[in-house]
Amino acid sequence: MAMLADDYDFVIGGDPDRDTVDLAVLDTRTGRVHAHLADAADGAGYRRMLAWAGEHAPGRRIWALEGTGSFAAGLVAFLVDAGETVVEVGALKRARGAKNDRIDAIRAARQALSRDIQGVPRSGGLREALRMVFACREGVLVSRTQAINELKSLIVVAPELLRAELRGRSLAAQLSSIEQLQIPAAAPVQDHLSLFTLQSISARIRFLSAQLAELDPQLLDLLKQHPAGPALLAEAGVGPVVAAQLLISWSHHGRVRHEAAFASLAGVAPLETSSGQNSRHRLNRGGDRALNRALHTVAVTRMRCHPETRAYEIRRSAQGKTHRDIRRSLKRALARRLYRTIETATRLHHTSIAA
Protein backbone atom coordinates (compact mmCIF):
# COMPACT_ATOMS: atom_id res chain seq x y z
CA MET A 1 0.00 0.00 0.00
CA ALA A 2 1.21 3.49 -0.85
CA MET A 3 2.52 5.67 1.96
CA LEU A 4 2.85 9.44 1.90
CA ALA A 5 6.64 9.14 1.77
CA ASP A 6 6.32 7.36 -1.60
CA ASP A 7 4.57 10.28 -3.29
CA TYR A 8 5.55 13.44 -1.39
CA ASP A 9 8.73 15.14 -0.23
CA PHE A 10 7.13 17.08 2.62
CA VAL A 11 4.09 16.74 4.83
CA ILE A 12 2.74 19.83 6.60
CA GLY A 13 0.97 18.95 9.83
CA GLY A 14 -1.60 21.37 11.18
CA ASP A 15 -3.26 21.86 14.56
CA PRO A 16 -6.04 24.48 14.17
CA ASP A 17 -7.74 26.44 16.91
CA ARG A 18 -10.53 28.98 16.70
CA ASP A 19 -8.23 31.94 16.07
CA THR A 20 -4.86 30.44 15.07
CA VAL A 21 -3.35 27.53 13.15
CA ASP A 22 -0.01 25.92 14.05
CA LEU A 23 1.89 24.25 11.20
CA ALA A 24 4.98 22.06 11.08
CA VAL A 25 6.89 20.88 7.98
CA LEU A 26 8.33 17.34 8.09
CA ASP A 27 10.69 15.78 5.59
CA THR A 28 8.99 12.51 4.53
CA ARG A 29 12.34 10.75 4.04
CA THR A 30 13.93 11.55 7.37
CA GLY A 31 10.96 12.62 9.51
CA ARG A 32 12.91 15.70 10.58
CA VAL A 33 11.03 18.93 11.36
CA HIS A 34 12.08 21.64 8.89
CA ALA A 35 10.04 24.62 10.03
CA HIS A 36 7.21 25.77 12.25
CA LEU A 37 4.65 28.55 11.88
CA ALA A 38 1.72 29.87 13.90
CA ASP A 39 -0.57 32.34 12.17
CA ALA A 40 -4.08 33.76 12.26
CA ALA A 41 -7.01 31.62 11.05
CA ASP A 42 -8.28 34.15 8.51
CA GLY A 43 -7.85 34.98 4.84
CA ALA A 44 -4.66 36.97 5.27
CA GLY A 45 -3.23 34.28 7.54
CA TYR A 46 -4.04 31.54 5.02
CA ARG A 47 -2.19 33.44 2.28
CA ARG A 48 0.86 33.81 4.52
CA MET A 49 0.72 30.08 5.34
CA LEU A 50 0.71 29.15 1.64
CA ALA A 51 3.64 31.46 0.92
CA TRP A 52 5.51 30.01 3.90
CA ALA A 53 4.83 26.47 2.65
CA GLY A 54 6.23 27.38 -0.77
CA GLU A 55 9.44 28.53 0.89
CA HIS A 56 9.95 25.69 3.39
CA ALA A 57 8.25 22.80 1.57
CA PRO A 58 8.98 23.30 -2.14
CA GLY A 59 8.03 20.61 -4.61
CA ARG A 60 5.74 17.71 -3.73
CA ARG A 61 3.92 18.52 -0.49
CA ILE A 62 0.74 17.48 1.26
CA TRP A 63 -1.16 19.04 4.15
CA ALA A 64 -2.31 16.83 7.05
CA LEU A 65 -4.85 18.75 9.14
CA GLU A 66 -6.89 17.91 12.19
CA GLY A 67 -10.46 19.22 12.42
CA THR A 68 -11.10 19.69 8.71
CA GLY A 69 -14.83 19.88 9.41
CA SER A 70 -14.54 22.51 12.15
CA PHE A 71 -11.64 24.86 12.96
CA ALA A 72 -9.68 23.93 9.81
CA ALA A 73 -12.63 24.19 7.42
CA GLY A 74 -11.67 27.65 6.16
CA LEU A 75 -8.03 26.68 5.62
CA VAL A 76 -9.05 23.50 3.79
CA ALA A 77 -11.29 25.44 1.39
CA PHE A 78 -8.51 27.96 0.73
CA LEU A 79 -5.89 25.26 0.10
CA VAL A 80 -8.14 23.20 -2.19
CA ASP A 81 -8.94 26.32 -4.24
CA ALA A 82 -5.18 26.95 -4.48
CA GLY A 83 -4.60 23.44 -5.89
CA GLU A 84 -3.00 22.01 -2.75
CA THR A 85 -3.47 18.40 -1.60
CA VAL A 86 -5.08 18.00 1.83
CA VAL A 87 -5.76 14.91 3.95
CA GLU A 88 -7.74 14.64 7.15
CA VAL A 89 -6.10 13.55 10.39
CA GLY A 90 -8.39 12.07 13.02
CA ALA A 91 -8.26 12.81 16.73
CA LEU A 92 -4.60 12.83 17.74
CA LYS A 93 -3.39 10.19 20.18
CA ARG A 94 -1.57 12.10 22.86
CA ALA A 95 0.84 10.31 25.16
CA ARG A 96 1.43 11.61 28.66
CA GLY A 97 3.91 14.42 28.82
CA ALA A 98 4.31 17.80 27.20
CA LYS A 99 1.52 19.18 25.05
CA ASN A 100 1.19 22.36 23.05
CA ASP A 101 -0.04 23.39 19.62
CA ARG A 102 3.40 23.09 18.03
CA ILE A 103 3.80 19.52 19.29
CA ASP A 104 0.30 18.65 18.08
CA ALA A 105 1.11 20.00 14.59
CA ILE A 106 4.13 17.69 14.46
CA ARG A 107 2.02 14.79 15.70
CA ALA A 108 -0.53 15.43 12.95
CA ALA A 109 2.17 15.20 10.29
CA ARG A 110 3.71 12.05 11.80
CA GLN A 111 0.31 10.41 12.17
CA ALA A 112 -0.36 10.98 8.47
CA LEU A 113 3.10 9.60 7.62
CA SER A 114 2.42 6.40 9.56
CA ARG A 115 -0.81 5.56 7.74
CA ASP A 116 -1.28 3.85 4.39
CA ILE A 117 -4.93 4.95 4.05
CA GLN A 118 -5.53 8.69 4.20
CA GLY A 119 -8.84 10.39 4.86
CA VAL A 120 -9.93 13.06 2.41
CA PRO A 121 -11.65 16.15 3.90
CA ARG A 122 -15.42 16.14 3.61
CA SER A 123 -16.98 18.16 0.84
CA GLY A 124 -19.12 21.27 1.21
CA GLY A 125 -22.11 22.26 -0.93
CA LEU A 126 -25.12 19.95 -0.66
CA ARG A 127 -23.36 17.72 1.85
CA GLU A 128 -22.67 20.68 4.16
CA ALA A 129 -26.29 21.84 3.83
CA LEU A 130 -27.42 18.34 4.81
CA ARG A 131 -25.05 18.35 7.77
CA MET A 132 -26.27 21.71 9.06
CA VAL A 133 -29.96 20.79 8.85
CA PHE A 134 -29.25 17.36 10.34
CA ALA A 135 -27.23 18.82 13.24
CA CYS A 136 -29.92 21.43 13.92
CA ARG A 137 -32.60 18.73 13.90
CA GLU A 138 -30.61 16.56 16.29
CA GLY A 139 -30.20 19.46 18.70
CA VAL A 140 -33.91 20.30 18.57
CA LEU A 141 -34.84 16.64 19.07
CA VAL A 142 -32.60 16.31 22.14
CA SER A 143 -34.02 19.52 23.64
CA ARG A 144 -37.59 18.38 22.98
CA THR A 145 -36.97 15.01 24.62
CA GLN A 146 -35.48 16.73 27.67
CA ALA A 147 -38.47 19.07 27.89
CA ILE A 148 -40.93 16.16 27.69
CA ASN A 149 -39.06 14.33 30.46
CA GLU A 150 -39.17 17.48 32.60
CA LEU A 151 -42.91 17.79 32.01
CA LYS A 152 -43.58 14.15 32.94
CA SER A 153 -41.48 14.46 36.11
CA LEU A 154 -43.24 17.65 37.15
CA ILE A 155 -46.69 16.12 36.65
CA VAL A 156 -45.76 13.32 39.08
CA VAL A 157 -45.05 15.80 41.92
CA ALA A 158 -47.66 18.42 41.00
CA PRO A 159 -50.49 19.22 43.43
CA GLU A 160 -53.42 16.80 43.18
CA LEU A 161 -55.61 19.53 41.68
CA LEU A 162 -53.33 19.56 38.60
CA ARG A 163 -52.13 15.97 38.61
CA ALA A 164 -55.66 14.56 38.48
CA GLU A 165 -56.27 16.43 35.22
CA LEU A 166 -53.08 15.24 33.53
CA ARG A 167 -51.98 11.76 34.56
CA GLY A 168 -52.77 8.80 32.33
CA ARG A 169 -53.26 10.97 29.23
CA SER A 170 -51.28 11.23 26.00
CA LEU A 171 -48.71 13.97 25.55
CA ALA A 172 -50.91 15.86 23.08
CA ALA A 173 -53.84 15.76 25.49
CA GLN A 174 -51.62 16.86 28.38
CA LEU A 175 -50.32 19.85 26.42
CA SER A 176 -53.84 20.93 25.47
CA SER A 177 -55.08 20.58 29.06
CA ILE A 178 -52.12 22.48 30.52
CA GLU A 179 -52.80 25.42 28.19
CA GLN A 180 -56.43 25.59 29.36
CA LEU A 181 -55.94 24.87 33.06
CA GLN A 182 -56.85 27.54 35.58
CA ILE A 183 -56.71 27.51 39.35
CA PRO A 184 -58.52 29.67 41.89
CA ALA A 185 -56.80 32.90 42.87
CA ALA A 186 -56.98 31.83 46.51
CA ALA A 187 -55.06 28.60 45.85
CA PRO A 188 -51.65 28.16 47.55
CA VAL A 189 -48.63 29.74 45.89
CA GLN A 190 -47.23 26.26 45.15
CA ASP A 191 -50.26 25.53 42.94
CA HIS A 192 -49.83 28.79 41.01
CA LEU A 193 -46.10 28.20 40.45
CA SER A 194 -46.68 24.57 39.48
CA LEU A 195 -49.15 25.65 36.80
CA PHE A 196 -46.83 28.41 35.61
CA THR A 197 -43.94 25.91 35.30
CA LEU A 198 -46.10 23.37 33.50
CA GLN A 199 -47.29 25.97 31.01
CA SER A 200 -43.73 27.23 30.45
CA ILE A 201 -42.46 23.72 29.65
CA SER A 202 -45.53 23.04 27.51
CA ALA A 203 -44.84 26.17 25.44
CA ARG A 204 -41.24 25.05 24.99
CA ILE A 205 -42.37 21.63 23.74
CA ARG A 206 -44.79 23.27 21.30
CA PHE A 207 -42.04 25.53 19.97
CA LEU A 208 -39.53 22.69 19.53
CA SER A 209 -42.18 20.51 17.86
CA ALA A 210 -42.89 23.32 15.41
CA GLN A 211 -39.18 23.57 14.63
CA LEU A 212 -39.03 19.83 13.94
CA ALA A 213 -42.03 20.16 11.65
CA GLU A 214 -40.10 22.79 9.65
CA LEU A 215 -36.77 20.92 9.59
CA ASP A 216 -38.05 17.51 8.48
CA PRO A 217 -39.33 18.74 5.07
CA GLN A 218 -36.06 20.64 4.60
CA LEU A 219 -34.10 17.46 5.21
CA LEU A 220 -36.26 15.43 2.85
CA ASP A 221 -36.00 18.10 0.14
CA LEU A 222 -32.17 18.10 0.36
CA LEU A 223 -32.14 14.29 0.13
CA LYS A 224 -34.23 14.38 -3.04
CA GLN A 225 -31.72 16.81 -4.56
CA HIS A 226 -28.81 14.46 -3.87
CA PRO A 227 -28.06 11.95 -6.67
CA ALA A 228 -28.11 9.05 -4.18
CA GLY A 229 -30.93 10.34 -1.96
CA PRO A 230 -33.92 8.71 -3.73
CA ALA A 231 -32.03 5.41 -4.11
CA LEU A 232 -31.28 5.31 -0.37
CA LEU A 233 -34.86 6.17 0.59
CA ALA A 234 -36.03 3.24 -1.56
CA GLU A 235 -34.00 0.82 0.59
CA ALA A 236 -35.91 -1.09 3.26
CA GLY A 237 -35.35 0.36 6.72
CA VAL A 238 -33.78 3.60 5.46
CA GLY A 239 -35.67 6.77 6.35
CA PRO A 240 -34.71 10.41 5.86
CA VAL A 241 -32.63 10.64 9.04
CA VAL A 242 -30.62 7.49 8.31
CA ALA A 243 -30.18 8.46 4.65
CA ALA A 244 -28.90 11.89 5.68
CA GLN A 245 -26.35 10.38 8.07
CA LEU A 246 -25.12 7.95 5.39
CA LEU A 247 -24.56 10.77 2.91
CA ILE A 248 -22.95 13.05 5.50
CA SER A 249 -20.43 10.35 6.42
CA TRP A 250 -19.82 9.29 2.81
CA SER A 251 -19.46 12.96 1.82
CA HIS A 252 -18.41 12.65 -1.84
CA HIS A 253 -17.04 10.24 -4.42
CA GLY A 254 -13.38 9.55 -3.69
CA ARG A 255 -13.40 10.25 0.05
CA VAL A 256 -13.95 6.55 0.79
CA ARG A 257 -11.98 4.35 -1.61
CA HIS A 258 -14.11 1.17 -1.48
CA GLU A 259 -16.80 -0.59 0.50
CA ALA A 260 -14.29 -2.16 2.90
CA ALA A 261 -13.03 1.31 3.82
CA PHE A 262 -16.65 2.45 4.30
CA ALA A 263 -17.26 -0.49 6.64
CA SER A 264 -14.10 0.43 8.54
CA LEU A 265 -15.24 4.06 8.74
CA ALA A 266 -18.54 2.86 10.21
CA GLY A 267 -16.82 0.61 12.74
CA VAL A 268 -18.55 -2.54 11.42
CA ALA A 269 -15.42 -4.25 10.03
CA PRO A 270 -14.02 -6.66 12.67
CA LEU A 271 -10.41 -6.03 13.69
CA GLU A 272 -7.93 -8.88 13.50
CA THR A 273 -6.26 -9.75 16.82
CA SER A 274 -4.35 -12.86 15.76
CA SER A 275 -1.22 -13.94 17.57
CA GLY A 276 0.94 -16.98 16.93
CA GLN A 277 -1.27 -19.92 16.01
CA ASN A 278 -4.46 -18.19 17.18
CA SER A 279 -6.56 -16.43 14.56
CA ARG A 280 -9.13 -14.12 16.11
CA HIS A 281 -11.15 -10.98 15.41
CA ARG A 282 -12.74 -8.49 17.77
CA LEU A 283 -15.45 -5.88 17.46
CA ASN A 284 -14.31 -2.52 16.13
CA ARG A 285 -15.45 0.15 18.60
CA GLY A 286 -13.87 3.00 16.65
CA GLY A 287 -14.91 4.77 13.49
CA ASP A 288 -17.81 7.13 12.90
CA ARG A 289 -20.24 6.20 15.69
CA ALA A 290 -23.09 8.21 14.17
CA LEU A 291 -22.72 6.18 10.96
CA ASN A 292 -22.53 2.99 13.02
CA ARG A 293 -25.77 3.97 14.77
CA ALA A 294 -27.47 4.59 11.42
CA LEU A 295 -26.52 1.11 10.18
CA HIS A 296 -27.69 -0.33 13.50
CA THR A 297 -31.09 1.32 13.01
CA VAL A 298 -31.44 -0.19 9.52
CA ALA A 299 -30.37 -3.63 10.77
CA VAL A 300 -32.84 -3.65 13.67
CA THR A 301 -35.67 -2.44 11.43
CA ARG A 302 -34.99 -5.07 8.78
CA MET A 303 -34.72 -7.85 11.35
CA ARG A 304 -38.17 -6.87 12.56
CA CYS A 305 -40.13 -6.48 9.34
CA HIS A 306 -38.06 -7.26 6.21
CA PRO A 307 -38.87 -10.79 4.88
CA GLU A 308 -35.45 -11.39 3.30
CA THR A 309 -33.63 -10.32 6.46
CA ARG A 310 -35.97 -12.37 8.65
CA ALA A 311 -35.18 -15.44 6.56
CA TYR A 312 -31.45 -14.72 6.92
CA GLU A 313 -31.82 -14.42 10.70
CA ILE A 314 -33.67 -17.74 10.93
CA ARG A 315 -31.04 -19.50 8.82
CA ARG A 316 -28.12 -18.11 10.84
CA SER A 317 -29.85 -18.89 14.13
CA ALA A 318 -30.18 -22.52 13.04
CA GLN A 319 -26.39 -22.50 12.54
CA GLY A 320 -25.90 -21.56 16.19
CA LYS A 321 -25.29 -17.82 15.78
CA THR A 322 -26.53 -15.49 18.49
CA HIS A 323 -28.84 -12.53 17.85
CA ARG A 324 -25.90 -10.16 18.44
CA ASP A 325 -23.64 -12.04 16.01
CA ILE A 326 -26.34 -11.97 13.34
CA ARG A 327 -26.85 -8.24 13.82
CA ARG A 328 -23.12 -7.57 13.49
CA SER A 329 -22.92 -9.58 10.27
CA LEU A 330 -25.96 -7.79 8.95
CA LYS A 331 -24.47 -4.36 9.66
CA ARG A 332 -21.35 -5.33 7.70
CA ALA A 333 -23.49 -6.52 4.78
CA LEU A 334 -25.56 -3.32 4.93
CA ALA A 335 -22.41 -1.20 4.81
CA ARG A 336 -21.48 -2.96 1.58
CA ARG A 337 -24.95 -2.67 0.05
CA LEU A 338 -25.60 0.95 0.96
CA TYR A 339 -22.12 2.09 -0.07
CA ARG A 340 -22.62 0.51 -3.48
CA THR A 341 -26.07 2.11 -3.72
CA ILE A 342 -24.58 5.55 -3.09
CA GLU A 343 -21.65 5.06 -5.46
CA THR A 344 -23.80 3.63 -8.27
CA ALA A 345 -26.41 6.39 -8.08
CA THR A 346 -23.73 9.10 -7.96
CA ARG A 347 -21.81 7.61 -10.89
CA LEU A 348 -24.96 7.33 -13.02
CA HIS A 349 -25.80 10.94 -12.23
CA HIS A 350 -22.37 12.19 -13.29
CA THR A 351 -22.50 10.04 -16.44
CA SER A 352 -25.86 11.48 -17.45
CA ILE A 353 -24.58 15.04 -16.92
CA ALA A 354 -21.46 14.34 -19.00
CA ALA A 355 -23.57 12.87 -21.78
Side-chain angles (χ1 to χ4, degrees):
M1 295 184 181
M3 307 287 284
L4 287 186
D6 298 329
D7 299 318
Y8 299 95
D9 301 318
F10 301 97
V11 56
I12 304 172
D15 178 54
D17 290 321
R18 186 191 64 182
D19 301 318
T20 61
V21 180
D22 278 70
L23 300 174
V25 174
L26 266 68
D27 188 316
T28 58
R29 292 165 297 180
T30 64
R32 187 171 67 87
V33 179
H34 272 217
H36 172 263
L37 173 70
D39 211 326
D42 54 28
Y46 299 155
R47 289 189 290 272
R48 289 191 295 268
M49 292 177 204
L50 185 58
W52 170 84
E55 178 183 353
H56 296 280
R60 301 180 305 168
R61 62 174 176 262
I62 188 169
W63 302 69
L65 304 175
E66 184 185 12
T68 58
S70 55
F71 289 143
L75 177 58
V76 170
F78 174 82
L79 292 174
V80 171
D81 289 343
E84 298 288 308
T85 304
V86 183
V87 294
E88 181 181 24
V89 175
L92 297 176
K93 295 181 179 179
R94 297 178 172 91
R96 292 185 178 182
K99 180 215 177 293
N100 58 42
D101 293 338
R102 177 173 181 170
I103 293 174
D104 285 345
I106 297 172
R107 283 180 177 148
R110 287 183 172 155
Q111 183 168 308
L113 273 174
S114 66
R115 292 182 175 178
D116 49 18
I117 298 177
Q118 305 297 333
V120 179
R122 297 169 176 86
S123 66
L126 182 57
R127 184 262 175 196
E128 180 61 14
L130 261 176
R131 188 198 65 78
M132 288 190 293
V133 174
F134 185 86
C136 182
R137 184 189 184 278
E138 288 291 291
V140 170
L141 189 61
V142 169
S143 298
R144 182 177 180 272
T145 301
Q146 290 175 341
I148 292 173
N149 291 338
E150 290 177 21
L151 184 72
K152 298 291 186 181
S153 299
L154 191 58
I155 290 174
V156 171
V157 299
E160 181 60 27
L161 175 66
L162 300 174
R163 188 168 67 247
E165 294 288 331
L166 300 174
R167 60 186 174 187
R169 306 181 69 180
S170 67
L171 176 64
Q174 287 176 339
L175 294 177
S176 297
S177 295
I178 289 171
E179 292 169 354
Q180 299 171 7
L181 276 174
Q182 293 183 350
I183 56 177
V189 65
Q190 177 186 355
D191 293 5
H192 285 281
L193 290 177
S194 294
L195 179 58
F196 171 79
T197 306
L198 286 170
Q199 290 178 338
S200 175
I201 298 174
S202 174
R204 194 193 322 161
I205 294 172
R206 293 283 197 195
F207 172 74
L208 293 170
S209 298
Q211 281 198 316
L212 276 178
E214 292 178 355
L215 289 167
D216 285 342
Q218 291 275 2
L219 190 67
L220 185 59
D221 183 58
L222 288 171
L223 286 171
K224 290 179 179 178
Q225 294 179 41
H226 196 285
L232 284 176
L233 292 173
E235 290 284 335
V238 178
V241 174
V242 169
Q245 182 60 65
L246 290 167
L247 293 175
I248 290 168
S249 298
W250 175 81
S251 183
H252 60 277
H253 177 70
R255 177 174 186 256
V256 183
R257 298 191 306 169
H258 42 61
E259 57 91 4
F262 187 71
S264 180
L265 174 66
V268 297
L271 299 176
E272 186 174 6
T273 56
S274 302
S275 177
Q277 297 180 351
N278 296 322
S279 179
R280 300 171 51 208
H281 290 78
R282 69 170 177 83
L283 182 66
N284 183 356
R285 299 189 183 278
D288 186 334
R289 302 316 296 172
L291 177 57
N292 185 285
R293 186 166 61 250
L295 292 175
H296 180 85
T297 300
V298 180
V300 170
T301 303
R302 287 194 173 210
M303 292 173 74
R304 186 183 303 124
C305 57
H306 186 238
E308 183 180 342
T309 306
R310 292 285 298 138
Y312 171 79
E313 182 182 11
I314 293 171
R315 185 174 70 254
R316 297 290 281 173
S317 296
Q319 297 172 353
K321 297 295 184 180
T322 66
H323 182 78
R324 178 177 292 182
D325 290 336
I326 296 170
R327 189 174 65 242
R328 288 173 180 171
S329 299
L330 183 58
K331 287 166 69 174
R332 177 63 180 86
L334 285 170
R336 179 187 305 111
R337 178 182 179 88
L338 296 175
Y339 172 80
R340 291 176 178 176
T341 299
I342 295 171
E343 287 286 331
T344 300
T346 306
R347 185 170 56 253
L348 291 174
H349 175 76
H350 291 327
T351 302
S352 63
I353 291 177

